[in-house]
Amino acid sequence: MAKVALIGASGKVGARLASELSNRGHSVTGIARHPENIVALPNVTPVRGDVADKQGLAELLKGHDAVISSVHFLDSDYTVLVDAVRASGVKRYLVVGGAGSLEIAPGKRLVDQPEFPAIYKAEALKGGEFLTYLKTVDDLDWTFLSPSALFVPGERTGNFRLGEDQLLSSDKGSTISFEDYAIAMVDELENPKNIRKRFTVGY
């Protein structure tokens, strides 16, 4: 079982990741600005951390087998996150990505389409910048997992599809639950297949 540092463990996605990791017996250090908001779970230790404090974050990450970051792109600086992971000595870094940078056709990103909701555009563009930056990082075993366009609370079904850079969709649209997303992320942690790559999950 792995020792995992989960940045953003109190968030909507982070909470599902903490639950999935806990259920599979991994040891989790749940990091949040307000650790009291992290749901109490077996094998999950809440600690206070700030994504803007590179040195402090690096200290919290030391000694883990992997780091997962589940933080809003606009609430963090991806260079600080990556540098904190580097400084910690942890090589495996998994990122909760966004759907905006996925392609709907060759060379055409979802975020660049006129119908993309304006309220999410800045966040999506920052997520795309994060992925572009990660592609220059060759000293970490990073993975960027993009959800489908509609990323919402739902059920843990275990029935989903995986892809690469193209937006996944079905007759029900492009969607994935937080719960099934968490399965895909922890599967990748346990059996790495997308080192220094982005992949996507959807129904």
Side-chain angles (χ1 to χ4, degrees):
M1 294 297 106
K3 187 176 182 183
V4 183
L6 174 59
I7 306 169
S10 64
K12 292 177 181 177
V13 182
R16 271 72 171 193
L17 287 167
S19 178
E20 186 69 26
L21 289 161
S22 172
N23 288 340
R24 298 203 204 180
H26 296 291
S27 174
V28 181
T29 301
I31 301 169
R33 192 169 293 167
H34 299 286
E36 65 276 9
N37 294 334
I38 297 173
V39 176
L41 292 165
N43 306 316
V44 177
T45 304
V47 299
R48 187 180 308 279
D50 185 344
V51 293
D53 177 7
K54 180 169 67 179
Q55 188 172 351
L57 193 57
E59 286 298 319
L60 293 177
L61 303 180
K62 282 181 180 176
H64 291 84
D65 300 309
V67 175
I68 301 176
S69 67
S70 177
V71 294
H72 288 293
F73 303 124
L74 291 175
D75 292 341
S76 57
D77 181 334
Y78 51 80
T79 63
V80 172
L81 288 168
V82 170
D83 284 349
V85 177
R86 281 185 171 127
S88 74
V90 180
K91 290 297 180 188
R92 187 73 173 113
Y93 180 42
L94 301 104
V95 177
V96 174
S101 56
L102 290 166
E103 294 183 340
I104 58 165
K108 293 187 176 182
R109 301 187 306 171
L110 180 65
V111 67
D112 298 324
Q113 304 315 301
E115 64 273 18
F116 191 87
I119 191 172
Y120 300 125
K121 191 151 191 173
E123 178 77 8
L125 289 171
K126 185 84 176 286
E129 290 175 16
F130 194 171
L131 177 59
T132 298
Y133 179 71
L134 281 173
K135 289 178 178 178
T136 71
V137 174
D138 58 9
D139 57 339
L140 296 176
D141 292 335
W142 60 266
T143 298
F144 188 96
L145 175 53
S146 287
S148 290
L150 191 61
F151 192 24
V152 291
E155 294 182 25
R156 184 187 186 280
T157 70
N159 297 316
F160 50 78
R161 294 181 294 146
L162 301 177
E164 294 184 353
D165 290 315
Q166 289 72 41
L167 183 73
L168 295 173
S169 61
S170 69
D171 54 4
K172 296 180 181 178
S174 176
T175 183
I176 189 68
S177 71
F178 296 149
E179 290 78 3
D180 279 340
Y181 178 95
I183 295 176
M185 180 67 92
V186 181
D187 285 350
E188 173 66 23
L189 170 74
E190 293 178 346
N191 296 291
K193 296 178 180 176
N194 295 280
I195 299 294
R196 301 195 188 108
K197 283 177 60 181
R198 180 258 289 278
F199 74 113
T200 187
V201 57
Y203 296 128

